[in-house]
Amino acid sequence: TDNLVEGRNTSDGCTVCPAGFYCLQGVRGLRTPPKQCRAGTFGATEGLPNATCTGLCDVGHYCPATSVSATNQSCPLGTYNHRPGAASIAACQPCNAGSFADATGTETCTLCTNGTFQNESGATACHACHEGAYCTGGPPLPLARPGGRSPPPLRAMRRRRGRRVAV
């Protein structure tokens, strides 16, 4: 017998297939052990009769095999997942530079707003724009103000015909 997965017994002595699994006709047989709801799906109730289980895992989340909720595991801070049916944390992608995700289970990242920037991927917030620069939101680095100077850490230099030129 299969002692790894327990289910509720019915009045006629059959065992109902447990949540997170499915069984033909929703009931375990002696020779038909329950089958796991595959990764990317979930089985919220007992007695599920087929491999579609209850449905796909929600966006912003992922569901390992035998999950019982569409939001079983949330994508971590700084990541997002815009597709339903994710099977593992690998589906949670880091937010691009210029955006952030400050909550778990995020479907999309939020662009930095005017006056802020973010130059790293996987961020949970944006930084305030530095003095002498302006930030339009979205671009990963502050821009030099016309007639102003960018702060030293953000200022790139290169040589052009023997002279150092700010870029």
Side-chain angles (χ1 to χ4, degrees), residues 3-167:
N3 292 326
L4 297 175
V5 180
E6 296 297 321
R8 180 175 54 82
N9 287 334
T10 62
S11 60
D12 61 1
C14 293
T15 304
V16 175
C17 199
F21 293 80
Y22 70 95
C23 304
L24 294 178
Q25 300 176 351
V27 180
R28 277 173 60 172
L30 291 175
R31 294 192 175 102
T32 56
K35 296 180 182 179
Q36 296 180 347
C37 290
R38 75 186 191 300
T41 67
F42 69 102
T45 60
E46 54 185 27
L48 295 171
N50 58 52
T52 59
C53 293
T54 302
L56 295 176
C57 189
D58 281 353
V59 295
H61 299 82
Y62 61 97
C63 297
T66 72
S67 292
V68 297
S69 167
T71 57
N72 189 270
Q73 298 288 323
S74 296
C75 287
L77 293 170
T79 67
Y80 73 100
N81 170 27
H82 66 279
R83 294 192 172 140
S88 72
I89 196 168
C92 302
Q93 300 298 306
C95 295
N96 293 325
S99 66
F100 68 98
D102 62 355
T104 61
T106 303
E107 179 180 355
T108 60
C109 296
T110 303
L111 287 177
C112 294
T113 58
N114 287 339
T116 66
F117 75 100
Q118 179 50 259
N119 57 339
E120 295 181 16
S121 63
T124 59
C126 294
H127 305 290
C129 200
H130 300 293
E131 187 177 331
Y134 71 98
C135 303
T136 59
L141 291 173
L143 305 169
R145 288 183 192 248
R149 292 176 26 156
S150 294
L154 299 174
R155 193 170 178 182
M157 299 295 287
R158 65 180 169 142
R159 294 206 176 265
R160 183 183 288 166
R161 294 188 183 168
R163 293 188 331 216
R164 290 179 65 175
V165 180
V167 290

